[in-house]
């Protein structure tokens, strides 16, 4: 209807709702085995994570990989069979645990999209596998001093600078490689990093790199 207070109005006919929305009527006959409504799938979950949770593109790509191991409406047995298949392919427990985290989030979202997962949830879910406790090799203090004092050639300068930046700031290699000049505050010795999950992180450990950056 037109508004008499607004001159020169142009009225347009309302467009019909998209198919998915206009047909979301009664799905009580299409319940999943654990009690939730099965009205969504992989694509819907990925869109929800992208637009509402704001996960990174790398995480979205990981979701797509994980979903390649399970059906769109997985049962408990489907999840267990996926783990067996991954173990038979030689995948490590750390990688499988990341997939389990993805699957558990997906099955919970299918059943109870408005709540957080808890011990009382009855949807299919897996416990994490036991991971081996490996001691990661690290550089000794003497090795770090030798690397800092090293005089690189012109061809080695970029690699040497990246190594020093990693030592000084403790950033991830992806964060260092995507760093821009305007992310560095030379006056206050601060660097702004786009952290994991697009979170912004700050650090102030640029003292030994000020003459190089």
């Amino acid at each position: 209807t037109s508004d008499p207070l607004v001159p020169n109005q142009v009225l347009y006919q309302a467009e019909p709702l998209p198919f998915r929305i206009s047909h979301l009527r009664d799905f009580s006959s299409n319940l999943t085995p654990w009690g939730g409504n099965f009205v969504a799938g992989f694509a819907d979950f990925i869109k929800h994570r992208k637009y509402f949770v704001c996960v990174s593109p790398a995480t979205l790509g990981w979701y797509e990989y994980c979903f390649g191991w399970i059906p769109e409406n997985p049962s408990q047995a489907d999840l267990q069979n996926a783990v067996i298949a991954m173990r038979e392919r030689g995948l490590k427990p750390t990688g499988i645990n990341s997939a389990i985290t993805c699957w558990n989030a997906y099955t919970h979202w299918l059943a109870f999209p408005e709540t957080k997962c808890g011990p009382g949830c009855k949807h299919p879910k897996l416990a994490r596998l036991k991971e081996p406790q490996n001691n990661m090799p690290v550089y000794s203090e003497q090795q770090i001093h030798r690397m800092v004092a090293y005089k690189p050639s012109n061809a080695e300068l970029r690699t040497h600078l990246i190594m020093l930046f990693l030592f000084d700031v403790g950033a991830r290699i992806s964060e260092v490689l995507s760093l821009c000049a305007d992310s560095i505050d030379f006056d206050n010795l601060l660097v702004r990093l786009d952290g994991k999950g697009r979170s912004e992180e700050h650090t102030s450990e640029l003292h030994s790199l000020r003459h190089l950056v």
Side-chain angles (χ1 to χ4, degrees), residues 166-188:
L166 293 172
F167 287 143
D168 217 8
V169 178
R172 304 174 184 90
I173 184 62
S174 59
E175 296 169 349
V176 176
L177 294 178
S178 60
L179 195 65
C180 299
D182 58 1
S183 299
I184 301 176
D185 182 349
F186 294 96
D187 295 329
N188 298 305

Side-chain angles (χ1 to χ4, degrees), residues 73-192:
N73 184 18
S75 64
Q76 186 74 21
D78 291 326
L79 298 181
Q80 293 172 344
N81 289 333
V83 171
I84 294 173
M86 297 177 89
R87 293 300 300 266
E88 290 178 342
R89 291 280 187 91
L91 275 71
K92 297 181 180 180
T94 50
I96 297 176
N97 281 337
S98 294
I100 288 175
T101 300
C102 171
W103 299 335
N104 288 348
Y106 172 67
T107 55
H108 177 83
W109 179 81
L110 280 178
F112 312 104
E114 301 300 327
T115 63
K116 291 185 177 181
C117 190
C121 289
K122 300 184 182 301
H123 59 81
K125 57 183 175 180
L126 296 177
R128 294 172 61 87
L129 304 181
K130 184 177 180 180
E131 300 180 10
Q133 300 298 320
N134 297 325
N135 294 323
M136 298 294 293
V138 297
Y139 290 104
S140 67
E141 186 175 351
Q142 183 181 8
Q143 290 173 323
I144 294 177
H145 282 308
R146 288 178 58 189
M147 224 172 291
V148 171
Y150 180 75
K151 302 299 182 182
S153 64
N154 290 336
E156 299 171 329
L157 185 59
R158 180 176 182 273
T159 302
H160 186 246
L161 180 59
I162 290 175
M163 290 292 295
L164 295 184
F165 204 98
L166 293 172
F167 287 143
D168 217 8
V169 178
R172 304 174 184 90
I173 184 62
S174 59
E175 296 169 349
V176 176
L177 294 178
S178 60
L179 195 65
C180 299
D182 58 1
S183 299
I184 301 176
D185 182 349
F186 294 96
D187 295 329
N188 298 305
L189 299 178
L190 293 174
V191 58
R192 186 178 70 250

Side-chain angles (χ1 to χ4, degrees), residues 186-202:
F186 294 96
D187 295 329
N188 298 305
L189 299 178
L190 293 174
V191 58
R192 186 178 70 250
L193 299 172
D194 293 327
K196 188 175 182 180
R198 297 179 181 177
S199 61
E200 191 174 90
E201 301 176 357
H202 289 81

Side-chain angles (χ1 to χ4, degrees), residues 36-95:
N37 287 330
F38 180 54
V39 298
F42 294 152
D44 304 277
F45 176 80
I46 290 175
K47 286 182 179 179
H48 179 269
R49 289 279 165 157
K50 179 179 180 179
Y51 296 118
F52 292 93
V53 185
C54 300
V55 300
S56 68
T59 301
L60 296 177
W62 175 247
Y63 288 158
E64 294 179 359
Y65 169 79
C66 294
F67 291 152
W69 294 90
I70 61 173
E72 203 159 25
N73 184 18
S75 64
Q76 186 74 21
D78 291 326
L79 298 181
Q80 293 172 344
N81 289 333
V83 171
I84 294 173
M86 297 177 89
R87 293 300 300 266
E88 290 178 342
R89 291 280 187 91
L91 275 71
K92 297 181 180 180
T94 50

